Structures are given as structure tokens and as C-alpha cells.
Amino acid sequence: MSNENLHPETLAISSGRPGHEAGEGINVPISLNSTFVAGGPINYGRTGNETWQPLEEAISALEEATSTLLFSSGMAAITAAFSLLPHGAPVVASHEGYSGTMALLKRYHAEGRLEVRFVDITDTKEVIAQLQGAAFLWVESPTNPGLGIAEVSVIIGEAKKRNMGVGFDNTFATPLNQKPLTFGADIVMHSVTKYLAGHSDVILGSLSVKDSALHARLQDARVSYGAIPGPFESWLGLRGIRTFPLRFEQAQKSAAELAKKLAGHNSVTNVRYPGFGAIVSFEITGDAAAAERVCDGASIITNATSLGGVETTWERRRRWALESDSVPENLIRLSVGCEHVEDLWRDIDTALSKA
Ligand SMILES: *Cc1c(COP(=O)(O)O)cnc(C)c1O
């Protein structure tokens, strides 16, 4: 059956299943093999694995990609994508983004490995001005943790007009909100760790593409650098992605409601919610210590980094030395999960009383 008319809920559940032959298991097995009998499609466990493929197929279906490569983490996927660029290549990237990506790009820049032009990705004019002579555009939108929104289709279009490569970290928005390949991006990256797997029990990353030559180069990078996912992690990711649309739709609905309630709370200022997604960032009317007390003061919500699990978490972002100093000291980033929204709000309200 063609994927074209299927909804994401169906794609997430039906992609990458074994056949319907009598006696076939309904789920794929966990393939624990480092080597394979000669003459088949997979020879060695670093070049392929039967448990990777179904999850790769499911991500491809959701992102409208032709193929997907799974990696041991989101950062391994990002590193593989940047490894394709020649030494010293000019890259345009947001100055506010995932802290691991920011640290990597700053290091590449300092070492001369890449010439990174950091921009305010929400300022379309500035982005376009910096595209001149650049080789690659890396986009994260919404940004993290400020939740700024780039004019995604415009900046990708401008980059493609200049024959640049475009990579897109779609971890926050997810394919339920935007599919960057359909706007012309060359590579879509996910920290599968977050919403796609969704249970805070696995670290995985992915790169999805439409172009088979690009796929071959990225597969070559995965084989050479060896940042491959474990079969069990891949299986957990596949098990998680089955319910991704259901979880994300619920979390997104609750996030919109909580953003509205937070905006009306007198201990809260500057609520950032872009109108979609399940992350809400806000400041409290108090200092860093007060923000820490709030994060420690909830009983359902856990004070923990990361995001995208069924369980709601939050943290004060500036507790990390890596976080950009443009992020306020008292900013809390809330990752909304799937608990009942009324229970979450009561928990937030109680924690805010400790500000
Ligand atoms: C977590 C995250 C990453 C890194 O992914 P890992 O799986 O932790 O390596 C990259 N980008 C975004 C937006 C993230 O949230």
C-alpha cells in the first residue's frame, strides 16, 4: 500500500512491520548479530541491522523522506551530517539552539574546521545576508529554549537558490507540525531520544533524506565513524514511535492550555509558546534561586533536563554552563508530557508558590 493517503497515526503504527504470513510475529525481532552468512543484504553489524530498518522506515514515512539512517544519538547524527562538509566550509547557523550543537559548532569554528556564521535565525533579512557565499544552512525552529520561529520555507528557499545544502533539526516541532524535506531541506535530523521514542529510556538519532547519493555519503559516514545504534535501543525506539502521534497530540494540547494559564499567573512573566509543540518556556518573578525552588517544588513534574517523554519535566536552563547567556537566569523550560492537564496545572501552581 502506498503511504500517500495515510495519516501519521497510521504510518507510525503500520510502517516497518513484518509480513502478514501465517505464524509471523507481529513485531520485528531484536537482531543481536555482529556478522551474517555471506551473500545476503547485510554482512556485518556495523553496516546494517534488521532492527534498525523498521524504525528507519517509520521515520521516513512520517517525514516524507525516501530513506533514513539511525545513529547512536542525535549528536552522532549531527556530527555525521557536518562531516560531509569540506574543511573550512562557511556554515550559517542559529546562535541560539540545542546546547550540544552550539558547543560542537563553536569548536569547529575555533579549530577552523568550519567557518560558522551565527545568526538570529528568526531575522530573515540577517539570515539571507549571511547566506552569501555559504555552503550550508543549519536550521532549528522553534529555537531552544527561547522558542523563536524562523520563516522556514523562505530561508530554505533562499539557501536552495544559492545551491547551498540545508540541514534541519526537527526534534522540537516533529513531522506532525512541519516536514522540512517538503520545503526543500536536504537533511532532516531528529534526536529520536525525545518525542519519537518518547519514554526517556533511550538515546538515538536519525538523518532523513530524499536523495540517494546523499544517503550513500551519510551511510558511508555512519560506517566509517561507527556511531551505530544498538539493536535493543532501536527496538525501543520502534516501540515508542508507534504511539508518537497520540502522545504528541495530547502533550501539545496540554502545552497550549498550560501556556495560557501560566501567562495569567502573577509569579510568571514572558511566557514563550509558539502556538504548537509541547515545550513552554517562561520566566518567574524572582531570581535563579527562586527558579530552582520552583523546579524542585513540584510532586508530579520532575526537575530534569531533556524533553519529549510521556512524563512532564522542567528545569532552569542556565544551570548549564553551556547554555547561551542570552537566556535569562530565571527561565524555566517545561516539557509537557501526557499526564492529565488539570493535575499538571495544580502541580505547577503549588510549585510556583515556592518562588
Ligand atoms: C536532545 C537534542 C539533540 C541531541 O540529541 P541526543 O539524542 O541527546 O544526542 C539535538 N537537538 C535537539 C533540538 C535536542 O533536543
Side-chain angles (χ1 to χ4, degrees):
M1 189 165 40
S2 142
N3 279 345
E4 264 162 42
N5 300 313
L6 298 179
H7 296 83
E9 292 84 348
T10 311
L11 292 172
I13 290 171
S14 60
S15 305
R17 290 278 179 195
H20 286 183
E21 285 87 54
E24 190 99 56
I26 194 139
N27 292 304
V28 295
I30 303 176
S31 173
L32 294 170
N33 294 291
S34 65
T35 189
F36 298 81
V37 178
I42 306 173
N43 294 304
Y44 185 54
R46 182 159 33 78
T47 59
N49 176 284
E50 290 160 307
T51 317
W52 300 349
Q53 287 163 8
L55 178 53
E56 291 174 336
E57 283 170 27
I59 298 171
S60 292
L62 290 167
E63 283 289 2
E64 292 187 34
T66 306
S67 62
T68 294
L69 290 149
L70 213 54
F71 289 83
S72 55
S73 68
M75 286 311 301
I78 291 172
T79 306
F82 281 106
S83 78
L84 301 191
L85 294 171
H87 191 90
V91 171
V92 177
S94 169
H95 70 83
E96 186 193 280
Y98 180 67
S99 54
T101 312
M102 294 294 97
L104 182 72
L105 291 180
K106 280 178 192 158
R107 176 142 58 84
Y108 281 162
H109 184 77
E111 290 168 349
R113 165 74 186 84
L114 297 173
E115 180 218 309
V116 187
R117 304 172 184 173
F118 290 102
V119 295
D120 175 355
I121 204 80
T122 66
D123 182 341
T124 302
K125 266 199 194 132
E126 184 189 344
V127 175
I128 292 172
Q130 291 297 326
L131 293 179
Q132 196 54 45
F136 196 63
L137 170 67
W138 182 258
V139 188
E140 240 188 273
S141 179
T143 63
N144 174 27
L147 303 176
I149 299 291
E151 281 189 272
V152 171
S153 60
V154 176
I155 61 175
I156 293 177
E158 291 291 328
K160 295 316 292 178
K161 259 196 240 163
R162 291 161 176 79
N163 281 325
M164 294 171 57
V166 176
F168 202 111
D169 182 339
N170 207 26
T171 302
F172 269 41
T174 85
L176 288 192
N177 286 308
Q178 64 192 13
K179 295 175 200 167
L181 295 174
T182 66
F183 299 139
D186 299 287
I187 302 176
V188 167
M189 173 264 159
H190 276 280
S191 171
V192 178
T193 312
K194 313 294 166 50
Y195 295 107
L196 299 187
H199 293 76
S200 310
D201 53 9
V202 76
I203 302 276
L204 281 173
S206 68
L207 297 176
S208 301
V209 300
K210 278 185 182 289
D211 181 74
S212 60
L214 182 55
H215 172 95
R217 293 176 69 205
L218 292 168
Q219 159 70 356
D220 199 39
R222 182 170 69 175
V223 170
S224 305
Y225 301 124
I228 55 165
F232 182 52
E233 284 75 8
S234 307
W235 191 89
L236 281 174
L238 184 61
R239 143 99 146 226
I241 208 169
R242 301 303 188 201
T243 55
F244 150 66
L246 291 175
R247 288 183 281 100
F248 193 74
E249 281 156 18
Q250 177 59 54
Q252 187 161 245
K253 215 169 95 195
S254 298
E257 204 170 320
L258 293 174
K260 211 182 288 170
K261 286 188 147 81
L262 280 164
H265 197 288
N266 55 18
S267 303
V268 171
T269 59
N270 285 331
V271 177
R272 298 160 177 85
Y273 182 65
F276 65 92
I279 306 286
V280 182
S281 292
F282 58 94
E283 290 157 57
I284 57 146
T285 54
D287 59 5
E292 290 290 355
R293 283 198 300 278
V294 171
C295 289
D296 285 330
S299 55
I300 299 167
I301 303 173
T302 311
N303 181 358
T305 196
S306 195
L307 55 112
V310 287
E311 48 295 286
T312 299
T313 58
W314 60 5
E315 69 170 332
R316 185 178 75 85
R317 282 301 302 170
R318 285 294 298 281
R319 73 192 176 97
W320 299 105
L322 272 180
E323 187 55 89
S324 160
D325 53 17
S326 62
V327 175
E329 283 283 356
N330 57 359
L331 179 139
I332 294 173
R333 188 186 70 189
L334 170 69
S335 166
V336 179
C338 297
E339 304 91 339
H340 198 286
V341 67
E342 286 168 19
D343 298 334
L344 289 175
W345 177 247
R346 215 172 310 128
D347 206 33
I348 291 171
D349 195 37
T350 305
L352 283 171
S353 70
K354 296 165 185 167

